[in-house]
Amino acid sequence: MDREIKKWIDKSIPVVYRCESSDCLIILVGMNQTGKGEKLTKEKVAFKTKSDIEILDDGFKWRKYGKKMVKNSPNPRNYYRCSAEGCSVKKRVERDVEDPSYVITTYEGVHNHEGPFRS
DNA sequence: CGCATTTGACCTGCGC
DNA sequence: GCGCAGGTCAAATGCG
C-alpha cells in the first residue's frame, strides 16, 4: 500500500481525507499526465475501512475477475468489475498489511449508469 | 438454466 | 534487453 501510494504521488497529486469520526481513510487520486505530454485523465479512489469482510456491497453488482498475491503483503488481492454493460468501473480489494481488520477498497473509473438502488 | 465465482496462465508495462 | 510484478482473461464448477 505504501509503495502504491508513493507510486501515485510520483505520477500525480493525491488528496487524502481522513474520517476521524470512524475508522476509515479516503484517498482521492486524480491522475493527470504530467510528463508524457498526453492527456490521460483517470480517477482513482481508495477507501480504507475497518471491516470484517472484504465484500463491501456499495449498491452495485460486482463480478470478481481475478485474484493475486502481492509481495508487499501476505494477503491476496481481489479484482472486481461492475457487471453492468458499458460500465468499466473496476474495484480492487485488499486487506491492510499492518491491520488485518482493515480493508482497502480502491475504485477506478466512474459508473456510466445509475446503480441499482438498495434500500 | 443462467450467472457469478475460482484458479492458473498469459500478457503488458516498468525498472534495472 | 531481460526480469519482475501487476493486471487481465478464460474455461470449468458450483450455487441460486
Side-chain angles (χ1 to χ4, degrees), chain A residues 23-100:
Chain A
D23 299 308
C24 70
L25 182 71
I26 303 175
I27 305 170
L28 302 180
V29 183
M31 289 184 70
N32 292 320
Q33 199 56 40
T34 50
K36 292 293 181 60
E38 285 297 308
K39 55 283 151 199
L40 233 179
T41 309
K42 282 196 173 184
E43 194 168 291
K44 195 178 295 184
V45 185
F47 292 93
K48 180 178 177 181
T49 323
K50 187 185 180 90
S51 177
D52 297 332
I53 53 175
E54 53 286 307
I55 312 293
L56 276 69
D57 198 325
D58 41 25
F60 295 99
K61 293 293 171 278
W62 300 98
R63 159 182 167 269
K64 185 184 292 183
Y65 69 93
K67 184 174 33 176
K68 192 73 177 202
M69 208 96 128
V70 276
K71 261 183 58 171
N72 200 4
S73 70
N75 311 310
R77 177 181 290 177
N78 299 299
Y79 297 93
Y80 295 89
R81 211 174 193 182
C82 189
S83 58
E85 291 183 40
C87 192
S88 58
V89 179
K90 283 177 280 187
K91 180 184 178 185
R92 184 181 315 148
V93 179
E94 75 178 282
R95 288 203 170 281
D96 192 298
V97 186
E98 300 297 318
D99 299 284

Side-chain angles (χ1 to χ4, degrees), chain A residues 93-111:
Chain A
V93 179
E94 75 178 282
R95 288 203 170 281
D96 192 298
V97 186
E98 300 297 318
D99 299 284
S101 58
Y102 281 84
V103 175
I104 302 172
T105 308
T106 308
Y107 294 92
E108 287 183 49
V110 277
H111 296 278

